[in-house]
């Protein structure tokens, strides 16, 4: 119990400090409305870019001048991924006392995992503060990435840290109440959205991928859907509702509860898809600039494929990377919406090249 309270208190403490500095909250501002809390600098840092057309020339001198290796430039630090989890092995025919000891060691392993993850989020936040000083005022992270102020690894560190910080307060409460049973409660109740991704246990990661890929297969089985190949990046308003719903399911942009109700949250889905497409477009640019798919780590290759609606479970890394290379080649001839709404077998291919095998829908 003391360990549980200690880690939960650390979680809430780190969360408050992160949010206080990130959003410009100071004690003298607490009596003002929420609109007065946000500093102008923070709003300019996180502003969403509405113009995502690729520039004819991109100044990447800032990135090149740092002489980073492709692997360093492309991959975020290890602290942006869940720490390793080492669980004790359960031996057969355990007595009641030995079984209690086994569950105690398992609980301690999970608490140690969460403690390492919370420290990683805090370390990532401190790195985020340093990166913010490098981004010129008035530019979003996507713009800074294109203009060479950020590498792809740094860009993803910013994205993941902001997402993790927003989830830590609720996770701290869950950890305080459930303690060693937190992973079981999260898996049983499906509380993935309440847990920072840096604190996802392996079963949680695999379970989320299984559900998403099953939902994607069901969406494709409902019929052949072809996206508008002429739709500009970010122009979600021109998408038919059928494609909007299909891509939303494929990428997991809205809860499956809406499918059961029979109503699609169109305004929310359009807003979220626009943001996701802008991020994918910027990431495609960074992948080509910073060294290419072959320098991505195994886990980063899977995450990049997931963001583009590609299946990764049970597939070797070589096949995942081949699919990503196919995506980048197809982007030169097709819009993002066309690729997101179709299977790789329907994507255009360079003449004479066979990057991936045809997949069954």
């Amino acid at each position: 119990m003391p360990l549980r309270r200690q880690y939960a208190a650390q979680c809430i403490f780190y969360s408050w400090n992160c949010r206080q500095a990130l959003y410009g909250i100071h004690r003298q501002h607490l009596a003002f409305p929420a609109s007065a809390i946000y500093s102008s600098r923070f709003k300019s840092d996180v502003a969403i870019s509405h113009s995502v057309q690729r520039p004819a020339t991109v100044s990447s001198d800032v990135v090149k001048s740092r002489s980073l290796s492709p692997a360093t430039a492309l991959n975020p630090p290890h602290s942006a991924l869940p720490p390793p989890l080492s669980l004790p092995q359960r031996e057969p025919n355990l007595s009641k006392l030995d079984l209690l000891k086994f569950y105690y060691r398992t609980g301690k392993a999970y608490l140690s995992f969460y403690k390492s993850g919370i420290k990683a989020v805090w370390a990532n936040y401190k790195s985020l503060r340093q990166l913010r000083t490098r981004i010129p005022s008035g530019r979003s992270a996507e713009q800074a990435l294109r203009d060479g102020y950020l590498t792809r690894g740094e860009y993803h560190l910013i994205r993941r840290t902001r997402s993790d910080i927003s989830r830590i307060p609720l996770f701290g409460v869950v950890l305080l109440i459930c303690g060693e049973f937190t992973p079981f409660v999260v898996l049983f109740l499906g509380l993935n959205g309440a847990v920072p991704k840096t604190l996802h246990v392996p079963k949680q990661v695999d379970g989320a991928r299984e559900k998403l890929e099953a939902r994607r297969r069901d969406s494709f089985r409902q019929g052949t859907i072809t996206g508008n190949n002429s739709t500009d990046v970010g122009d979600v308003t021109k998408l038919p509702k059928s494609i909007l719903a299909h891509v939303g399911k494929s990428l997991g942009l809205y809860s499956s509860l809406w499918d059961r109700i029979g109503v699609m949250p169109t305004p929310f889905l359009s807003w979220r898809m626009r943001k996701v497409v802008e991020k994918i477009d910027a990431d495609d640019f960074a992948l080509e600039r910073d060294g290419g798919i072959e320098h991505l780590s195994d886990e980063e290759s899977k995450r990049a494929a997931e963001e583009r609606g590609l299946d990764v479970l049970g597939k070797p890394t070589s096949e995942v990377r081949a699919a990503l290379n196919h995506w980048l080649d197809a982007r030169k001839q097709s819009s993002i919406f066309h690729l997101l709404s179709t299977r790789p077998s329907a994507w255009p291919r360079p003449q004479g090249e066979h990057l991936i095998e045809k997949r069954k829908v």
Side-chain angles (χ1 to χ4, degrees):
M1 182 67 70
L3 282 177
R4 177 198 307 183
R5 291 177 179 174
Q6 177 187 352
Y7 296 161
Q10 279 185 329
C11 184
I12 297 173
F13 172 77
Y14 288 159
S15 169
W16 171 250
N17 279 275
C18 290
R19 293 174 68 88
Q20 184 183 42
L22 187 63
Y23 295 107
I25 299 177
H26 302 285
R27 292 179 181 177
Q28 61 267 32
H29 291 158
L30 291 179
F32 289 83
S35 59
I37 291 177
Y38 294 85
S39 65
S40 59
R41 181 177 179 182
F42 173 73
K43 287 192 289 185
S44 64
D45 283 348
V46 301
I48 299 298
S49 171
H50 295 280
S51 176
V52 293
Q53 298 297 326
R54 299 192 177 193
T57 59
V58 178
S59 174
S60 58
D61 295 338
V62 179
V63 170
K64 291 181 179 178
S65 64
R66 295 163 64 188
S67 301
L68 300 175
S69 66
T72 303
L74 284 167
N75 299 294
H78 293 295
S79 59
L81 297 173
L85 175 62
S86 179
L87 296 175
Q89 296 293 328
R90 179 174 178 176
E91 299 178 0
N93 302 323
L94 291 177
S95 64
K96 291 184 178 180
L97 179 60
D98 291 335
L99 189 61
L100 289 175
K101 291 181 179 179
F102 165 76
Y103 286 129
Y104 174 75
R105 291 194 299 267
T106 301
K108 283 192 65 176
Y110 277 119
L111 283 178
S112 177
F113 170 83
Y114 286 136
K115 181 180 179 181
S116 299
I118 293 168
K119 288 183 176 180
V121 174
W122 178 246
N124 291 340
Y125 166 70
K126 291 191 288 187
S127 299
L128 171 62
R129 293 185 64 182
Q130 295 177 354
L131 291 174
R132 283 180 56 196
T133 62
R134 194 189 305 163
I135 301 177
S137 178
R139 299 193 187 183
S140 66
E142 286 75 26
Q143 289 174 324
L145 176 68
R146 292 179 180 279
D147 293 341
Y149 293 97
L150 297 174
T151 65
R152 180 186 181 273
E154 292 167 341
Y155 168 68
H156 278 271
L157 178 64
I158 291 175
R159 284 180 53 188
R160 295 176 193 178
T161 302
R162 287 173 176 169
S163 174
D164 286 346
I165 289 173
S166 66
R167 300 180 182 194
I168 276 187
L170 180 57
F171 173 74
V173 175
V174 175
L175 181 62
L176 181 63
I177 296 173
C178 303
E180 298 88 341
F181 300 99
T182 297
F184 307 105
V185 173
V186 169
L187 291 172
F188 180 75
L189 298 180
L191 300 177
N192 286 346
V195 182
K197 291 191 175 181
T198 310
L199 301 175
H200 281 196
V201 299
K203 285 186 178 181
Q204 202 172 346
V205 174
D206 292 339
R209 285 174 175 169
E210 288 177 2
K211 290 180 180 179
L212 180 60
E213 292 187 10
R215 193 179 181 195
R216 184 180 301 138
R217 286 192 297 269
D218 291 340
S219 184
F220 272 105
R221 287 195 188 102
Q222 292 177 5
T224 302
I225 302 175
T226 304
N228 186 352
N229 202 27
S230 62
T231 303
D232 295 331
V233 174
D235 194 358
V236 183
T237 58
K238 295 183 180 180
L239 287 178
K241 286 187 177 182
S242 59
I243 297 179
L244 190 66
H246 167 64
V247 176
K249 293 177 183 178
S250 180
L251 299 182
L253 299 184
Y254 67 99
S255 172
S256 59
L257 178 63
W258 292 99
D259 295 334
R260 302 190 190 100
I261 298 176
V263 179
M264 185 179 67
T266 304
F268 167 77
L269 184 56
S270 299
W271 168 78
R272 191 169 184 190
M273 188 174 296
R274 177 179 60 82
K275 294 180 64 177
V276 167
V277 168
E278 288 174 356
K279 290 178 172 63
I280 293 176
D281 189 53
D283 194 43
D284 287 346
F285 169 80
L287 282 171
E288 295 183 314
R289 182 197 64 186
D290 290 350
I293 302 298
E294 61 274 12
H295 295 288
L296 285 177
S297 66
D298 293 354
E299 182 60 28
E300 289 301 326
S301 298
K302 292 180 180 180
R303 290 195 173 211
E306 280 183 307
E307 288 186 350
R308 291 158 176 81
L310 299 170
D311 296 340
V312 298
L313 280 178
K315 300 184 182 300
T317 305
S318 58
E319 185 176 348
V320 174
R321 288 175 178 164
L324 287 173
N325 277 316
H326 188 190
W327 168 282
L328 293 179
D329 287 330
R331 275 298 315 276
K332 300 172 183 177
Q333 307 175 52
S334 300
S335 70
I336 289 182
F337 292 113
H338 174 70
L339 301 183
L340 289 176
S341 60
T342 54
R343 286 292 197 184
S345 57
W347 297 352
R349 296 191 181 191
Q351 189 66 26
E353 291 189 14
H354 301 282
L355 300 176
I356 60 173
E357 297 179 356
K358 285 189 175 182
R359 301 179 185 176
K360 295 181 179 180
V361 175

